[in-house]
Amino acid sequence: MQGITIATRASPLALWQAEHVRSLLCAAHPQLAVELLRLSTRGDEVLDRSLAKIGGKGLFIKELEVALADGRADLAVHSYKDVPMQLEPQFQIGAVLEREDPRDCVLSVRFGALEQLPAGSRVGTSSLRRELALRIHFPELQVGAVRGNVGTRLAKLERGEFDALIMAAAGLKRLGLADRIRQILPTSVFLPAPGQGALAIEIRAGDARVAQLVAVLEHAATRAATQAERMVSLALGGSCQVPLAAYAEVEQAQLRLRAWAGSVARAQAVHGQALGPFEQAEALGRAVVDQMKAQGVEQLLSAAPEAS
């Protein structure tokens, strides 16, 4: 059997994810040789501006897609929340892996929970979604932008640049840093981003050999849940410039999808939810968007430029 090459960013978390996929592929296909191609992306290189201002999360995958297109790599591993809602036609998602913890969490040197932070405390986040949740539920706290990989962010916390950070629990757990988590935030307040906690494998469209190799990693429930979530984002023009949350959970053999979107400047959001079968995941997403549109979400999103 021929070998394959995985394109990956060079950050510790991206390398963990690529190595994880490599180990799964080698276990499923013992004769398969799997190599890693480490690449730097613009999203990794530009750290002094927010993602919303430099082009969005798609900056984390462009160089990897170039490597796929020119044949240097056969697949790329992404945090699914970083993947644009619409791929270029020459690419496809070959597999969606079973989800890790999708929730947000709090890291702090001095405090055990957001509720313990004194008024005026500085909380770091890279996400407009998290910023909006903070402005709605914890308006007494100050929100500051923080970029960089996990280690960079933790170093800023240790230096006292922030009193707390809000990050995805999945990345910390994957890096063996679960002991740094002070509080897991409930989804009733901090609803996750579409695809948060899930890994997606991107391949060239029509590459039957690679598609067959990665198919063994597919997790049907996570695929359906993330399809519903991503449809919400797609229907609302979702990107990191839109404060938007969407999360689908399995409930009695169906999907329960919850979502919200709004305005950081106004500290307002509208909500929607629906229950439906797995095979109608995208229709479920559209139904929730229709609810939110009926509440004026489009006017809210276009009312004012976002703060970060």
Side-chain angles (χ1 to χ4, degrees):
M1 185 180 290
Q2 293 180 327
I4 59 172
T5 299
I6 300 174
T8 176
R9 295 160 55 199
S11 73
L13 180 56
L15 287 172
W16 183 96
Q17 293 172 172
E19 291 282 6
H20 177 61
V21 169
R22 174 159 67 176
S23 68
L24 292 175
L25 286 172
C26 289
H29 309 290
Q31 304 306 313
L32 184 67
V34 184
E35 297 183 353
L36 301 187
L37 173 66
R38 295 168 174 81
L39 298 169
S40 179
T41 72
R42 181 163 168 78
D44 294 305
E45 294 164 359
V46 181
L47 300 178
D48 59 345
R49 284 166 283 168
S50 70
L51 284 173
K53 293 179 179 178
I54 63 173
K57 292 180 178 179
L59 293 174
F60 287 126
I61 76 168
K62 288 303 180 186
E63 284 82 357
L64 279 61
E65 288 184 332
V66 170
L68 288 177
D70 66 21
R72 285 178 292 147
D74 301 292
L75 61 110
V77 181
H78 308 300
S79 293
Y80 208 1
K81 67 183 178 65
D82 292 340
V83 177
M85 296 304 136
Q86 287 186 300
L87 293 177
E88 296 297 324
Q90 65 266 41
F91 305 113
Q92 69 184 63
I93 299 300
V96 179
L97 280 64
E98 184 173 6
R99 201 172 213 161
E100 225 317 346
D101 191 335
R103 295 172 295 179
D104 290 327
C105 66
V106 176
L107 297 89
S108 178
V109 174
R110 299 170 53 205
F111 303 100
L114 283 181
E115 293 79 4
Q116 297 176 9
L117 291 171
S121 296
R122 186 168 169 80
V123 180
T125 174
S126 62
S127 158
L128 283 175
R129 172 185 60 84
R130 294 172 183 140
E131 181 175 356
L132 178 54
L134 282 166
R135 293 193 186 282
I136 291 174
H137 298 285
F138 297 91
E140 72 281 4
L141 302 179
Q142 295 184 27
V143 183
V146 59
R147 289 281 318 282
N149 62 36
V150 173
T152 299
R153 298 184 194 198
L154 289 177
K156 292 181 178 182
L157 180 67
E158 298 287 349
R159 290 197 298 268
E161 295 180 30
F162 298 95
D163 298 294
L165 300 176
I166 299 181
M167 298 174 66
L172 293 160
K173 290 183 176 183
R174 286 170 174 148
L175 289 172
L177 297 172
D179 60 337
R180 299 297 303 269
I181 295 173
R182 302 297 297 272
Q183 178 187 23
I184 293 287
L185 293 166
T187 60
S188 58
V189 177
F190 282 80
L191 199 66
Q196 185 161 308
L199 298 182
I201 297 178
E202 185 178 13
I203 65 175
R204 287 182 293 272
D207 190 333
R209 181 183 77 95
V210 176
Q212 184 177 18
L213 289 171
V214 303
V216 296
L217 307 184
E218 174 77 3
H219 189 256
T222 303
R223 169 81 75 163
T226 53
Q227 280 181 325
E229 296 160 10
R230 287 169 62 82
M231 178 52 67
V232 174
S233 186
L234 179 62
L236 291 176
S239 68
C240 63
Q241 291 132 328
V242 175
L244 179 151
Y247 177 48
E249 300 173 274
V250 177
E251 183 177 304
Q252 298 179 344
Q254 292 188 301
L255 286 178
R256 169 75 68 182
L257 174 64
R258 292 178 288 150
W260 57 252
S263 166
V264 168
R266 293 189 176 190
Q268 289 179 294
V270 298
H271 299 250
Q273 67 171 307
L275 179 70
F278 280 36
E279 59 270 20
Q280 295 179 15
E282 293 188 354
L284 197 64
R286 287 190 289 268
V288 168
V289 170
D290 287 343
Q291 292 177 25
M292 295 166 70
K293 286 182 176 179
Q295 299 173 64
V297 69
E298 292 170 305
Q299 293 81 357
L300 192 58
L301 291 175
S302 62
E306 295 305 339
S308 296

